[in-house]
Amino acid sequence: MPTYLITGANRGIGLALAKHLAARGDTVIATAREQGKATELAEVASRVEELDVTDPASVSAFAERVTEPIDVLINNAGFYPNRGEPLDQIDTEAILRAFDVNAVGPVRVTRALLPRLRAGGHKKLVHITSVMGSLRSVDDANQKRSIAYRASKAALNMAALLLSNELEPEGIISAMLHPGWVQTDMGGGKAPLTTEQSAAGLVKVIDGLKPRDNGCFRDYQGKKIPW
Ligand code: NDP
């Protein structure tokens, strides 16, 4: 059975991914910032590891503990501050924090786990991004602000696309996936999708990834999203 590694899996979409994959018999190594917050996760994951993606010492200690090959690495941990504030109310420290979690974090984790991904059979690298990081989506009527989150996800998309080019010669398939608008602490109660629906869709898309899909930006149903 393939081994999946999922970051930020103690709640929300990460937890649903862990449950979905574990239920079909896959091996799931999942991370939480605090083990104590991960009781539900501990019931389904093969192993829960502590990881703060913004802390280089945490990332390197974590990478030393992960000694097995990883077939699919899912960079899922995310942070959404500054919801829609106008410019004069924006907390710029929160913008930096969003970039650290959403854009730099996946690069740190990918770099640290690259030897494990190289050793895996499936060689799939998945970044859970957002349609809100699409420059084209800024034309949409809703959510015109949210600079911290949207700019950090756009930065993730660029970083992930560059990584997809760099890692392609090694046979690593990278994908940037939007999970839909999902009922989580981040997505809120008005979101149309349950975490189970999103996770089931994401797993189907991940299962179907082929070398020709390297560098794609898709949603949880496999639909292409414009950059
Ligand atoms: P939640 O807010 O429910 O969960 C976020 C997860 O990320 C938590 O496990 C949290 O851990 C973890 N996390 C936050 N900061 C760090 C950090 N520094 N290091 C490690 N882990 C961290 O979010 P969702 O489940 O909704 O989101 C999952 C992913 O999906 C994110 O990347 C998000 O941007 C993306 N997404 C979500 C959408 C939605 O509608 N929900 C829509 C589009 C994209 P802790 O519990 O310790 O805070």
Side-chain angles (χ1 to χ4, degrees), residues 8-14 33-34 37 51-54 75-79 97 101-102 128-131 149 153 178-187 191:
N10 53 293
R11 59 189 167 102
I13 295 162
R33 279 193 291 184
E34 295 171 51
K37 278 189 178 176
L51 172 69
D52 183 333
V53 302
T54 65
N75 281 310
N76 166 75
F79 174 55
R97 177 91 183 140
V101 178
N102 296 338
I128 304 299
T129 181
S130 172
V131 69
Y149 184 72
K153 287 294 192 181
H178 166 62
W181 183 18
V182 189
Q183 295 156 16
T184 64
D185 294 337
M186 185 185 292

Side-chain angles (χ1 to χ4, degrees), residues 11-196:
R11 59 189 167 102
I13 295 162
L15 179 59
L17 284 168
K19 285 182 178 174
H20 190 93
L21 292 165
R24 68 179 198 179
D26 294 329
T27 301
V28 177
I29 302 172
T31 81
R33 279 193 291 184
E34 295 171 51
Q35 294 268 357
K37 278 189 178 176
T39 45
E40 209 179 336
L41 179 62
E43 286 171 17
V44 296
S46 312
R47 207 163 86 228
V48 178
E49 291 285 353
E50 277 200 356
L51 172 69
D52 183 333
V53 302
T54 65
D55 177 354
S58 169
V59 174
S60 57
F62 157 72
E64 282 187 17
R65 295 192 301 271
V66 179
T67 53
E68 57 271 81
I70 301 298
D71 290 291
V72 184
L73 168 58
I74 305 180
N75 281 310
N76 166 75
F79 174 55
Y80 188 159
N82 280 354
R83 284 174 190 253
E85 289 90 330
L87 182 58
D88 59 359
Q89 288 168 33
I90 274 181
D91 170 3
T92 53
E93 287 304 311
I95 299 180
L96 289 172
R97 177 91 183 140
F99 270 77
D100 207 0
V101 178
N102 296 338
V104 186
V107 175
R108 278 193 196 98
V109 172
T110 301
R111 182 177 62 181
L113 290 186
L114 196 52
R116 305 276 75 81
L117 195 58
R118 285 180 175 134
H122 295 218
K123 295 186 171 53
K124 291 180 181 175
L125 172 59
V126 175
H127 306 276
I128 304 299
T129 181
S130 172
V131 69
M132 293 179 80
S134 156
L135 302 187
R136 186 78 67 81
S137 77
V138 174
D139 293 341
D140 292 352
N142 64 346
Q143 295 288 355
K144 286 191 189 293
R145 292 173 180 159
S146 300
I147 285 177
Y149 184 72
R150 301 191 74 155
S152 67
K153 287 294 192 181
L156 167 63
N157 288 349
M158 177 58 87
L161 189 58
L162 294 173
L163 286 181
S164 76
N165 287 339
E166 185 174 338
L167 300 176
E168 187 170 30
E170 300 192 48
I172 293 173
I173 307 169
S174 299
M176 289 131 263
L177 301 183
H178 166 62
W181 183 18
V182 189
Q183 295 156 16
T184 64
D185 294 337
M186 185 185 292
K190 289 186 187 158
L193 289 175
T194 64
T195 54
E196 291 77 14

